[in-house]
Coordinates of all heavy atoms in Angstrom, one line a residue:
N63 N 409.0 174.4 170.2 CA 408.2 173.9 169.1 C 409.0 173.6 167.9 O 410.1 174.2 167.8 CB 407.0 174.8 168.8 CG 406.0 174.9 169.9 OD1 405.4 173.9 170.3 ND2 405.7 176.2 170.4
E64 N 408.5 172.8 167.0 CA 409.2 172.5 165.8 C 409.1 173.7 164.8 O 408.1 174.5 164.9 CB 408.6 171.3 165.1 CG 408.9 170.0 165.9 CD 408.4 168.8 165.1 OE1 407.9 168.9 164.0 OE2 408.6 167.7 165.6
R65 N 410.1 173.8 163.9 CA 410.0 174.9 162.9 C 408.9 174.5 161.9 O 408.8 173.4 161.5 CB 411.4 174.9 162.2 CG 411.7 176.2 161.5 CD 413.2 176.2 161.1 NE 414.0 176.4 162.3 CZ 415.3 176.6 162.2 NH1 415.9 176.8 161.0 NH2 416.0 176.8 163.3
E66 N 408.1 175.5 161.6 CA 407.0 175.3 160.6 C 407.2 176.2 159.4 O 407.6 177.3 159.5 CB 405.7 175.6 161.3 CG 405.5 177.0 161.7 CD 404.0 177.3 162.2 OE1 403.1 176.4 161.9 OE2 403.8 178.4 162.7
G67 N 406.8 175.6 158.3 CA 406.8 176.4 157.0 C 405.7 177.4 157.0 O 404.6 177.2 157.4
V68 N 406.1 178.6 156.5 CA 405.1 179.7 156.4 C 404.7 180.0 155.0 O 403.6 180.1 154.6 CB 405.7 181.0 157.0 CG1 404.8 182.2 156.8 CG2 406.0 180.8 158.5
A69 N 405.8 180.1 154.1 CA 405.5 180.4 152.7 C 406.7 180.0 151.9 O 407.8 179.9 152.4 CB 405.2 181.9 152.5
C70 N 406.5 179.6 150.6 CA 407.6 179.3 149.8 C 407.4 179.7 148.3 O 406.2 180.0 148.0 CB 407.9 177.8 149.8 SG 406.7 176.7 149.0
I71 N 408.5 179.8 147.6 CA 408.3 180.3 146.2 C 409.3 179.5 145.3 O 410.5 179.3 145.7 CB 408.6 181.8 146.1 CG1 408.4 182.3 144.7 CG2 410.0 182.2 146.6 CD1 408.3 183.8 144.6
D72 N 408.9 179.0 144.2 CA 409.7 178.2 143.4 C 410.3 179.0 142.2 O 410.1 180.2 142.1 CB 409.0 176.9 142.8 CG 407.9 177.2 141.8 OD1 407.9 178.4 141.3 OD2 407.0 176.4 141.6
I73 N 411.1 178.3 141.3 CA 411.8 179.0 140.3 C 410.9 179.7 139.3 O 411.3 180.5 138.5 CB 412.8 178.2 139.6 CG1 412.2 177.0 138.8 CG2 413.8 177.6 140.6 CD1 413.1 176.3 137.9
Y74 N 409.6 179.2 139.2 CA 408.6 179.8 138.3 C 407.8 180.8 139.0 O 406.8 181.3 138.4 CB 407.7 178.6 137.8 CG 408.5 177.5 137.2 CD1 408.6 176.3 137.9 CD2 409.2 177.6 136.0 CE1 409.3 175.2 137.4 CE2 409.9 176.6 135.5 CZ 410.0 175.4 136.1 OH 410.7 174.3 135.6
A75 N 408.2 181.2 140.2 CA 407.4 182.2 141.0 C 406.1 181.7 141.5 O 405.2 182.5 141.9 CB 407.3 183.5 140.3
H76 N 405.9 180.4 141.5 CA 404.7 179.8 142.1 C 404.9 179.8 143.6 O 406.0 179.6 144.1 CB 404.5 178.4 141.6 CG 404.2 178.3 140.1 ND1 404.7 177.2 139.4 CD2 403.6 179.1 139.3 CE1 404.3 177.4 138.1 NE2 403.7 178.5 138.0
T77 N 403.8 180.1 144.3 CA 404.0 180.3 145.8 C 403.0 179.3 146.5 O 402.0 178.8 145.9 CB 403.6 181.7 146.2 OG1 402.3 182.0 145.8 CG2 404.6 182.7 145.6
A78 N 403.3 179.0 147.7 CA 402.5 178.2 148.6 C 402.6 178.8 150.0 O 403.6 179.4 150.4 CB 403.0 176.8 148.6
Y79 N 401.5 178.7 150.7 CA 401.4 179.3 152.1 C 400.8 178.3 153.1 O 399.9 177.5 152.7 CB 400.5 180.5 152.0 CG 401.0 181.7 151.2 CD1 400.7 181.7 149.8 CD2 401.9 182.6 151.7 CE1 401.2 182.8 149.1 CE2 402.4 183.6 151.0 CZ 402.0 183.7 149.6 OH 402.6 184.7 148.9
A80 N 401.2 178.5 154.3 CA 400.5 177.8 155.4 C 399.1 178.3 155.5 O 398.9 179.5 155.3 CB 401.3 177.9 156.7
T81 N 398.2 177.5 155.9 CA 396.8 177.9 156.1 C 396.7 179.1 157.1 O 395.9 180.0 156.8 CB 396.0 176.7 156.6 OG1 396.1 175.7 155.6 CG2 394.5 177.1 156.7
S82 N 397.5 179.0 158.1 CA 397.4 180.1 159.2 C 397.8 181.5 158.7 O 397.4 182.4 159.3 CB 398.3 179.7 160.3 OG 399.6 179.6 159.9
V83 N 398.5 181.6 157.6 CA 398.9 182.9 157.1 C 398.4 183.3 155.8 O 398.5 184.4 155.3 CB 400.5 183.0 157.0 CG1 401.1 182.6 158.4 CG2 401.0 182.1 155.9
K84 N 397.7 182.4 155.1 CA 397.1 182.6 153.8 C 396.2 183.8 153.8 O 395.3 184.0 154.7 CB 396.4 181.4 153.3 CG 396.1 181.4 151.8 CD 395.6 180.0 151.4 CE 396.6 178.9 151.6 NZ 396.1 177.6 151.1
G85 N 396.4 184.8 152.9 CA 395.6 186.0 152.8 C 396.2 187.1 153.6 O 395.7 188.3 153.5
R86 N 397.1 186.8 154.5 CA 397.8 187.9 155.3 C 399.2 188.1 154.9 O 399.7 189.2 155.0 CB 397.7 187.5 156.8 CG 396.3 187.4 157.3 CD 396.2 187.2 158.8 NE 396.9 186.0 159.3 CZ 398.0 186.0 160.1 NH1 398.4 187.2 160.6 NH2 398.5 184.9 160.5

Side-chain angles (χ1 to χ4, degrees):
N63 293 306
E64 293 187 356
R65 197 167 293 187
E66 65 169 348
V68 174
C70 71
I71 186 166
D72 67 18
I73 66 168
Y74 307 108
H76 298 146
T77 58
Y79 296 90
T81 302
S82 59
V83 306
K84 198 171 294 184
R86 300 188 298 122

